[in-house]
Amino acid sequence: AEYMGESVMITPRFTVSQDNDFVIVNVRVPYVRVENMDFSIDGCEFKLSVHPYFLRLHFPAAVVEDGRENAKYDYETGTLQISLPKMFPNTVYENLEMPSLLMTVKPVGRPAIEVIQSHSVENEPETEIDWSFPQTIPEIQTASTITYGFNESHSNVFGNLQSDLEDILESPSPDTLTPSDRRSQRLAVEDEKFDIDHYMGDLVLSDQVTECLQFVPWYLKSGTFEFSAEETDVLIRLPRREYVLMNLVREWLRLVDVLYGYCMDVRLTLGENTCESAWNVCMVSNTLSWLDSFTSLPELQYSLFHRALAYPLIRSFDLAQRVWTDVSNILKAGKLCVVKCLVQVKKLLDSSDSRYLLNTVVVDDLCVWVQSTEDTQRESLATEMGKLVFQKSGIRWNLEELEKELLEEYRSLRDEVD
């Protein structure tokens, strides 16, 4: 391929697996001259070059050149299989199924600040995370330094999009609102949006609610998850980054927030994406509608349950609870399941005329970062979500009292008919 007269190397589609002795790289490189293929091994780094393709991967532990390495090319499928001997046989090399992580260029030398979540075979002591305790950071943002999105690393993204802003966010002024103002406005708008008649209608005419509750999403079905070819292509095109996180808990809870919006849409549409799917995901998610973030799991749960009762077409407290359990189960199912869900969110937003910007601000980074996270942190968060119970009495709109009044009115009407 050429661009502006210069040769451009293409990143091929690939998968990586392993057995006790080898790391096995399968690369789709159709219509190439195999005799011009060249690959090299340098510790944890693997490079493949065969015009017009180039691939560089960084494994979590070293592979070696000892004469056992070999390559086979299938002309029918255009797939090249390369077997690389492990330096540490009978050892599981972690995260080989995560394309973006394998393609991340490792920094040279020791950085001035430690990079969070760099994948390594060395085990470091874990610090237990308190998911319930708010980890507050003094608010030092002013109107000229407003940041938001993943790791609070974006600013002034929406300044030139004021005419289209209502199609992207519910927040009216994301580039000028401080975090506290952002939250107070969000709460006020939620109170305005909550429609008691809509909620009561779904409570009484509950067939649709029952259908949503009984539906079994793909992520709850038994079996082993793996990336499709299309999902692999999406992951390969993601930015290749490592992150120095300002607040680890905040990013884990941002992940939960986005997954909750996704799971709500899956149940509302019974697994069939519609033209409203991107809207469903974004309006239920705090971070995709208001760029709001949390450092306490109970606070996030409180907010998500309120948005679940104020925005979707079907509004049910039981459904809000079921979606919370869905997210917990996704976290328990493993990192690959989490990434598959995020890829689905990314595809939904990419297909939107305006909300694709939210991938740049939030979802792309979540997709990359979560591939390098510790399993123990994800499992701890899933466990804590399972323990956390939110009562209907905690909803600030007095649902229990309103439901009681409705039932009394219903009984009265029934008695009159009798």
Side-chain angles (χ1 to χ4, degrees), residues 358-375:
L358 296 172
N359 282 330
T360 301
V361 174
V362 178
V363 180
D364 285 356
D365 287 312
L366 277 177
C367 284
V368 175
W369 166 73
V370 79
Q371 294 180 56
S372 65
T373 54
E374 298 289 344
D375 289 341

Side-chain angles (χ1 to χ4, degrees), residues 89-106:
N90 301 311
T91 300
V92 176
Y93 285 21
E94 296 183 350
N95 296 320
L96 294 184
E97 72 278 13
M98 298 295 166
S100 303
L101 184 61
L102 296 177
M103 296 173 67
T104 301
V105 177
K106 311 303 289 181

